[in-house]
Amino acid sequence: MPKMAKSIAFGIFLVILTSLCLPSSADDSAYVIKSEKLPTDLNFMPTLGNGHLGYTIFGDAIFMNGVYNGVGGNSRRARLPNWLNLSVASIQYEEWALSIIPDAYELRLKDGYFRWLFAYEANGLQLQLEQRSYPHRYYNRALIYELFVRCTGAFDPLLINLTQKAGSKSEAFDFASSSTDSNHTKRYKTLHGATRQREQPDLQPKSREIFVLFSDDWENEYTIEVPAGEQEFYYRFVITADENEEVAWQEMDEVLKHAPESLFKKHTEEWHKFWQDFNIEIEGNLEMSRIINAGAFYLANSLPSLRTNRPNNPYYGLSPTGLGRGELDADYEGHNFWDTEIWMLPAVAQFNADWADQLFHYRFAHLAGARFNANMTGYRGARFPWESAYTGTEVINPCCPEIAAQEIHISPDIVLSLQQHYPATHNTEWLCSIAWPIAKEVAEFLVSRVQDDGQKYHLKDVMGPDEDHANVTDNVYTNVVVKKALQFASFTRAICASANDLPDVWIDIVQRMHILYDENLDYHPQHLGYKRGETVKQADVILLGYPVQYAMSNTTRLNDLKNYETVTRESGPAMSWSMFAINFLDVNEMEKANLYFQRGYRDYVRPEFKVWSENKVGYEGSANFLTGIGGFLQAIINGYGGIRFHLDGQRSLMVIQKTHFLPTTMGYSINGIKFAKSKFSLAIHKNGTTLKCLEKGDLDIELSLNSQKYAIDADSSFDLDGNVAFLRTI
């Protein structure tokens, strides 16, 4: 029999219900995504998180940041059943039962929650239901389900039947009830479990423990009785979880002290700060605006809350499908790849530099794992693994060991990302405490990995981003990022090391690294022996232009694009087309750029809730594909917005190249561009391009525009008029 409660929760004010049910204002329409139906594949439901906990709406899993189960390549996010997957199944009134099929589903981006609505009217009875689900952004150990009921004309009690579809038992934990009351006045149902397997016993001496608390003690079915004549009713179900039982208890106590409106306000305040700090405003294309906002929202959901009730636990990075997924192979087991640094981090750094710092800190904190990985494969220094999880050792899926062995570009990719982040922040303390230790040890690995034939340095038995070609020599992308990484290691040593003399071998490799180039055809062959016309999986050589920013002529760059655009697989991932768009913009091929920009999102975004797929409709691919979102946002910020970061000696430089209109829009603004502790907006409209300083930091910055120099002050505003703008630290 289902459990029953009589009016177990307190009523809510009518004003709360009324305000929540009002239609969105015109200003918020770009932040509300509505659908009258669910996607046929529930993998494309929204994935929500707060950096500590994550889940997919109506899915069967909850995941906690940094908690993995399984040995080596079998390590994957440790799944908790989705006890928050609650929904009203039916309502009984008098002699009839009403099955609840929601009228509408909404993803509310600005406030950071998902809701489903139902309304019924017959024989004088008027009934409105709203159900909400969200991971709390301030109380980030808490997941919230809320039910709001408004009913008039009922002369008998309503029996509301809730169902819980948590899915099967956890494959990662054996849970048992915890008897500790932690000196709290109220008892909560508490489960305690430890992961069954450790990822790498040498670096993980203990299993990961977890405590899960529930505000109410019921499973599967629950019946709530709403007394006759009660017009407003509220019920909530709260889950808290942490490795520390006391933290989970305290979080539950404090959440339940809040009235509904104050609890919700604490959550929405954090999301409002996010949108105030960064947003992209689109004119004349509401659909694109929603896709952009949803993409930023899904990416931010897997990042840790920046202001929390209790200090955050260490953060374990961004996986290609986010924190709310990770048990399945299709979700990349929740591991970290080069996707983080090359595809997602440039956009994340514009959201908030603190988030970028936390992503880099994950790599810094796992240098021991990278050293272990280098040593186990016969090399020196730090070799970051192709797939990284809890320990930072190699945890590649057992299907594909050759990828881990050959895609060595991930280590210099990380250093390349450090090199591009430093000029954006000009944070010398970070450069020396985080970037330098990573760059130094990666450089040592690269020195031990290259081969010198007396004339040139080579890299053999490698695989570039194009995974269709294995065991190649001198993949040009890999060799270039190795060169870039050693240049940056030399730069950071000069600033951060006690001795300023540079290791001769680093500079020697930079100067003699073999970079394949066909002089006759004026293009870069992908690797030694590559034949023009061979199919490639995804963007590889074209990445030399952007994001690598390798110096070459525009004709060479255009020839690279023309050679590889026709041979890149149709089934390739979304972000490849975004990179084609950016690079075609840089060589002034607008028609091609617009084509690839639209191709990069149009067939990858599912219509109901703007959730991304790794591959286009018709091909299998991962859902909630944050890598594709990262590439798409770079296409707008760094492509059409023209924003690039460089080192200028020991000064930092932000260049705003020629800006371009986004196709199918009337104009747009990128608000919250971060550079050298200041914040800017860039507005691109038909009447011109305007750069404004929104917040001035404590570093002095000058603008060079049209051979004139201007000091940047708070509220500075400049019309760029199609000219290239250079902002430099002084």
Side-chain angles (χ1 to χ4, degrees):
M1 293 291 292
K3 295 182 178 179
M4 178 177 289
K6 286 192 175 183
S7 194
I8 59 167
F10 49 90
I12 64 172
F13 296 107
L14 179 60
V15 66
I16 300 169
L17 276 170
T18 304
S19 65
L20 290 171
C21 294
L22 284 174
S24 302
S25 69
D27 290 341
D28 283 349
S29 58
Y31 294 89
V32 179
I33 300 175
K34 300 180 181 180
S35 179
E36 294 181 357
K37 62 178 182 177
L38 300 178
T40 54
D41 182 352
L42 292 182
N43 271 318
F44 293 98
M45 289 298 293
T47 295
L48 306 183
N50 54 25
H52 180 72
L53 296 166
Y55 62 98
T56 298
I57 297 291
F58 303 149
D60 68 348
I62 295 171
F63 297 103
M64 182 184 289
N65 164 47
V67 180
Y68 295 85
N69 181 65
V71 178
N74 291 309
S75 171
R76 55 194 64 223
R77 287 204 199 277
R79 172 185 166 269
L80 304 173
N82 188 359
W83 295 295
L84 197 73
N85 187 9
L86 312 179
S87 197
V88 176
S90 64
I91 293 181
Q92 187 170 344
Y93 176 64
E94 295 180 333
E95 300 301 320
W96 51 264
L98 178 64
S99 295
I100 304 301
I101 301 175
D103 304 310
Y105 304 89
E106 292 183 1
L107 180 61
R108 311 283 291 195
L109 303 172
K110 185 160 280 188
D111 290 337
Y113 72 99
F114 182 86
R115 72 175 182 174
W116 48 116
L117 306 170
F118 175 82
Y120 177 82
E121 183 175 354
N123 300 322
L125 178 67
Q126 293 183 332
L127 178 66
Q128 292 179 332
L129 299 182
E130 177 184 351
Q131 299 176 83
R132 295 197 305 209
S133 180
Y134 57 97
H136 206 284
R137 203 70 193 170
Y138 178 75
Y139 294 105
N140 69 336
R141 272 65 173 191
L143 304 178
I144 314 292
Y145 166 86
E146 294 178 308
L147 170 64
F148 299 86
V149 182
R150 182 183 180 191
C151 180
T152 58
F155 299 101
D156 289 300
L158 290 178
L159 299 181
I160 301 175
N161 301 311
L162 279 171
T163 61
Q164 180 189 67
K165 297 180 180 179
S168 60
K169 291 183 178 180
S170 173
E171 301 82 356
F173 299 94
D174 291 311
F175 280 110
S177 297
S178 174
S179 59
T180 306
D181 66 10
S182 197
N183 298 317
H184 289 257
T185 57
K186 179 172 179 176
R187 294 286 305 146
Y188 304 116
K189 177 184 176 181
T190 306
L191 298 180
H192 170 239
T195 52
R196 293 171 179 167
Q197 295 177 307
R198 291 172 291 157
E199 183 177 287
Q200 170 47 256
D202 290 342
L203 295 178
Q204 185 184 352
K206 297 191 302 181
S207 295
R208 306 298 306 279
E209 287 190 278
I210 186 171
F211 293 88
V212 186
L213 276 65
F214 304 85
S215 58
D216 282 331
D217 184 4
W218 64 272
E219 295 180 18
N220 302 323
E221 293 181 310
Y222 193 35
T223 300
I224 299 169
E225 182 177 319
V226 180
E230 187 162 322
Q231 295 188 0
E232 293 90 37
F233 183 82
Y234 169 81
Y235 172 74
R236 67 180 163 204
F237 186 83
V238 180
I239 299 170
T240 61
D242 198 80
E243 295 174 73
N244 184 316
E245 184 176 13
E246 180 66 16
V247 169
W249 273 82
Q250 291 176 350
E251 196 88 327
M252 180 68 80
D253 281 347
E254 293 179 32
V255 165
L256 295 183
K257 288 177 183 176
H258 280 280
E261 68 274 21
S262 64
L263 178 66
F264 187 60
K265 183 179 179 182
K266 294 289 283 186
H267 169 72
T268 60
E269 282 175 347
E270 300 307 311
W271 273 110
H272 293 173
K273 288 176 184 174
F274 167 74
W275 294 114
Q276 289 165 6
D277 201 37
F278 180 87
N279 65 80
I280 298 173
E281 292 183 84
I282 299 294
E283 294 181 17
N285 190 328
L286 183 59
E287 175 68 5
M288 182 181 288
S289 190
R290 286 172 173 160
I291 290 171
I292 291 170
N293 291 336
F297 176 79
Y298 289 132
L299 190 50
N301 265 271
S302 286
L303 296 165
S305 299
L306 294 173
R307 196 171 69 98
T308 59
N309 181 46
R310 304 200 174 277
N312 282 325
N313 292 333
Y315 185 58
Y316 284 83
L318 269 174
S319 175
T321 62
L323 177 57
R325 298 168 183 264
E327 183 193 24
L328 304 178
D329 290 354
D331 293 320
Y332 293 97
E333 301 91 31
H335 297 164
N336 292 272
F337 295 73
W338 72 312
D339 300 46
T340 301
E341 284 78 16
I342 298 300
W343 300 105
M344 294 183 272
L345 200 145
V348 167
Q350 292 304 308
F351 292 174
N352 192 294
D354 288 344
W355 275 333
D357 289 347
Q358 292 195 50
L359 291 173
F360 286 125
H361 193 270
Y362 169 77
R363 298 298 190 182
F364 173 77
H366 287 79
L367 273 170
R371 293 187 203 103
F372 179 91
N373 194 45
N375 181 262
M376 292 297 290
T377 53
Y379 299 102
R380 302 191 305 273
R383 177 180 184 172
F384 284 95
W386 180 243
E387 298 188 30
S388 180
Y390 178 65
T391 63
T393 57
E394 184 61 70
V395 289
I396 192 167
N397 191 303
C399 75
C400 315
E402 70 282 356
I403 295 179
Q406 296 174 37
E407 289 210 51
I408 65 166
H409 63 83
I410 189 168
S411 295
D413 286 341
I414 291 168
V415 179
L416 177 69
S417 185
L418 294 168
Q419 182 267 315
Q420 294 177 342
H421 184 63
Y422 173 64
T425 61
H426 200 72
N427 185 338
T428 305
E429 180 182 353
W430 171 88
L431 180 75
C432 294
S433 62
I434 300 295
W436 165 236
I438 296 173
K440 174 177 62 175
E441 297 216 39
V442 168
E444 287 303 296
F445 162 64
L446 297 175
V447 168
S448 68
R449 181 63 173 81
V450 298
Q451 296 182 29
D452 184 2
D453 69 0
Q455 299 295 319
K456 295 287 186 180
Y457 285 95
H458 303 274
L459 284 166
K460 299 181 179 180
D461 300 319
V462 298
M463 180 187 294
D466 167 29
E467 293 165 0
D468 287 352
H469 289 86
N471 288 309
V472 303
T473 295
D474 289 334
N475 168 261
V476 68
Y477 172 85
T478 303
N479 286 21
V480 167
V481 292
V482 165
K483 182 174 180 172
K484 285 270 191 176
L486 291 171
Q487 286 174 322
F488 184 65
S490 299
F491 170 84
T492 54
R493 181 182 173 107
I495 294 175
C496 302
S498 56
N500 288 327
D501 53 317
L502 304 178
D504 290 341
V505 68
W506 292 3
I507 303 303
D508 188 43
I509 294 172
V510 169
Q511 293 173 343
R512 293 199 290 123
M513 194 77 211
H514 187 43
I515 308 299
L516 287 171
Y517 170 68
D518 187 319
E519 291 186 7
N520 293 326
L521 298 174
D522 189 20
Y523 93 114
H524 293 98
Q526 184 172 280
H527 51 261
L528 188 66
Y530 175 79
K531 296 179 181 179
R532 292 177 69 202
E534 289 182 24
T535 300
V536 301
K537 177 187 175 184
Q538 63 187 70
D540 190 309
V541 173
I542 70 155
L543 301 178
L544 299 185
Y546 181 90
V548 177
Q549 302 186 79
Y550 178 64
M552 70 180 91
S553 71
N554 270 1
T555 56
T556 304
R557 196 167 173 189
L558 181 57
N559 287 335
D560 283 346
L561 288 163
K562 288 181 176 179
N563 272 282
Y564 294 104
E565 69 169 324
T566 59
V567 298
T568 303
R569 269 207 263 143
E570 184 72 13
S571 60
M575 68 279 188
S576 288
W577 315 124
S578 296
M579 294 303 108
F580 273 104
I582 296 174
N583 284 287
F584 271 119
L585 284 170
D586 283 356
V587 295
N588 296 311
E589 291 278 340
M590 284 302 301
E591 187 175 340
K592 284 285 185 73
N594 291 343
L595 171 70
Y596 282 112
F597 173 70
Q598 293 178 80
R599 186 175 180 180
Y601 73 89
R602 187 181 52 215
D603 294 332
Y604 295 86
V605 179
R606 296 303 189 264
E608 293 86 1
F609 301 108
K610 316 307 178 194
V611 175
W612 282 65
S613 173
E614 178 179 13
N615 293 321
K616 62 189 296 184
V617 175
Y619 298 94
E620 290 186 4
S622 302
N624 196 46
F625 192 53
L626 303 182
T627 308
I629 293 171
F632 171 68
L633 292 175
Q634 285 188 68
I636 298 171
I637 300 166
N638 309 104
Y640 287 88
I643 297 166
R644 308 292 166 85
F645 299 98
H646 301 276
L647 292 169
D648 183 15
Q650 292 194 7
R651 298 198 296 175
S652 293
L653 173 66
M654 182 172 80
V655 180
I656 302 174
Q657 302 179 160
K658 182 180 180 182
T659 58
H660 303 275
F661 259 73
L662 279 170
T664 72
T665 74
M666 301 295 291
Y668 62 102
S669 299
I670 306 170
N671 304 308
I673 300 164
K674 315 301 188 300
F675 174 64
K677 300 184 181 180
S678 293
K679 188 161 66 173
F680 299 86
S681 71
L682 184 68
I684 297 97
H685 300 285
K686 286 187 176 180
N687 58 352
T689 299
T690 303
L691 176 71
K692 291 183 180 180
C693 181
L694 301 177
E695 292 180 14
K696 178 65 174 66
D698 58 5
L699 292 175
D700 291 329
I701 302 170
E702 69 176 15
L703 170 69
S704 298
L705 182 66
N706 249 350
S707 302
Q708 298 293 317
K709 292 185 179 180
Y710 308 90
I712 295 294
D713 297 314
D715 301 322
S716 294
S717 180
F718 304 91
D719 293 325
L720 303 188
D721 295 326
N723 296 297
V724 178
F726 301 88
L727 287 90
R728 288 183 178 86
T729 54
I730 300 175

